[in-house]
Amino acid sequence: MRFSTQTLLLQLGVVLLVVLLSGAVHAWLVYGRIGDEAENQALTLARTVAADPDIRTGVQEISKEEGTPPADVLAVGPLQAAAEAVRARTGALFVVITDETGLRLAHPDLARLGERVSTDPSVALAGKEITTRNTGTLGPSAGAKVPVYSPDAAGTIVGEVSVGYSVESLSNSLARDIVPIAFTAGGALLAGVLASFLLRHRLQRLTLGLEPEEISTLVHDQVAVLQGVDDGVIGIAADGRISVFNAAASRLLDLPDATGQDWATAGVPEQLKQLTQPAARDAEPVELVAGGRVLVASARKAWHRKEDLGWVVMLRDRTELQQLTRQLDAVGTMSTALRAQRHEFANQLHTIAGFMSIGQHDSAKEYLARISATGPLKFPVEQAELLQDAYLQAFIGAKGVEASERGVSLRVGPETMVRGHVADPQDVTTVLGNLIDNAVSAAVAGSAADRWVEVELLDDAGRLHLVVGDSGDGLGAADPEDIFTEGFTTSAQPVRSGAGQGLGLALVRQLARRRGGDVRVLEHGSEGGPGAVFMATIPGVMDEGPTSSTEREDRSG
């Protein structure tokens, strides 16, 4: 028999046993509760009857007489009438009244009047109340016996009252209550059977129909495979030791093999440790910057049956995706700007064609001279002519179009001097694009009426120096170093896990430092503007242009 079939049969047996036991115990408890309620109800009714002044007086009068009145006299007497009225009103099986010797003075069966009761009345006649479950002349019942005291002599017992409810009525009550119990048990059994079949199907699907011995062999084989995958895998045992730290994890985190170290004191980023906290069992994947890379980390709790195996942390590299996304954003922005330029050029050509068609040649010449003086590009960026590199012109011009749509004026600072050519557009796009985007967002959120962003660029021996300022409200109470940590964002919206927010400044600083440069805050900014000023230095991203020795001397000066 296959392992999955054995598991299915075992589960079905356990589910059936649990449902039957639970149903039986619940039915037994319900029956006991109904019986207790019947006894308490009988006791309350017996106390009420025994405390009735007419009942006490009637019993005392009969007890004082010598002998007991005949049954036909008792049948038409006030005690019989009162007891039957109570029994009919409450639905009790019997309401019996006796004298101090236990002889019946009132009973549902008139033929039993004057006879001794079938159950022992001595406890009640001794002055104690008692609840009982026994079988009398009317059948099994749950009842109570209460003494009847003389209305004249305090403490003198002149008889007792017995009240009982039929066990058959208790069974009927149980039958009414057992219906939802049966439905619940049936539903639980059905759910258990269905879950067992689903679990069997899932077990077969997850194990691909393999037996435990085959799975054990595969586990041993896969240990070697873990060292060859591109994703980082970190295994944390139940005792907190790192049991798996594959080569990819070491490469992505830029750390040596940490196998055997304590997870709490290992040199891994704190974000990874937070993922393995008990409160983060169902936490979503998080993004972090480590070793100059953007990583997506997720953690899962590992169990084998009921055995806690610890945690498994997976690391995936998203650095290239982040850089590609930034490049695509830049290309999209420039494409939008160029599309607008194409429309503008088309309009200019139509204007020239109109002048020529009506013979206004002089006007056409003047118009051509005027548009020639403005240059081939007309981005909404002040002093864009200070940029000699075509890539920087296009990129900052496109950013100017994007900023203008948000009501922000983008300008190039007067100290800008870029005579070389961008040799590494990818890193320049990442750093400059992040700083400009953050500055535009700060300007939009700021309280200043005049919204602007100013960029100054200077190249020197292959280095590109960037200074970006804005009209926003500054960094407020934030520490200048805290804004370069993962999770900090200039967005007014909360950071959503996996959305890529809160990583820009941390990434650009690590990127610049990996090249030997840096990104830092020059000015903290103030409320009402001007806002914060950031400076970035990126070595090795520029090629020197064909400038003369005089120009190089001027630039050095």
Side-chain angles (χ1 to χ4, degrees), residues 378-382 397 400-402 404 408-411:
K378 193 178 179 181
F379 290 124
V381 178
E382 300 178 20
V401 174
E402 193 177 59
S404 179
V408 179
S409 173
L410 178 62
R411 64 194 184 208

Side-chain angles (χ1 to χ4, degrees), residues 210-221:
L210 299 176
E211 293 300 309
E213 297 79 7
E214 297 172 312
I215 296 175
S216 177
T217 303
L218 285 177
V219 169
H220 288 87
D221 293 340

Side-chain angles (χ1 to χ4, degrees), residues 140 165-173:
Y165 286 89
S166 172
V167 171
E168 183 179 355
S169 64
L170 301 184
S171 301
N172 293 335
S173 299

Side-chain angles (χ1 to χ4, degrees), residues 21-78:
L21 287 177
S22 300
V25 171
H26 192 51
W28 178 73
L29 292 176
V30 169
Y31 183 78
R33 176 180 58 80
I34 294 175
D36 293 339
E37 292 176 356
E39 291 178 358
N40 293 332
Q41 187 175 356
L43 180 61
T44 301
L45 182 58
R47 287 172 177 172
T48 302
V49 174
D52 186 276
D54 294 336
I55 298 295
R56 296 170 64 185
T57 301
V59 173
Q60 182 182 25
E61 290 177 354
I62 294 176
S63 297
K64 288 180 179 181
E65 299 177 1
E66 292 185 3
T68 302
D72 54 348
V73 175
L74 293 174
V76 295

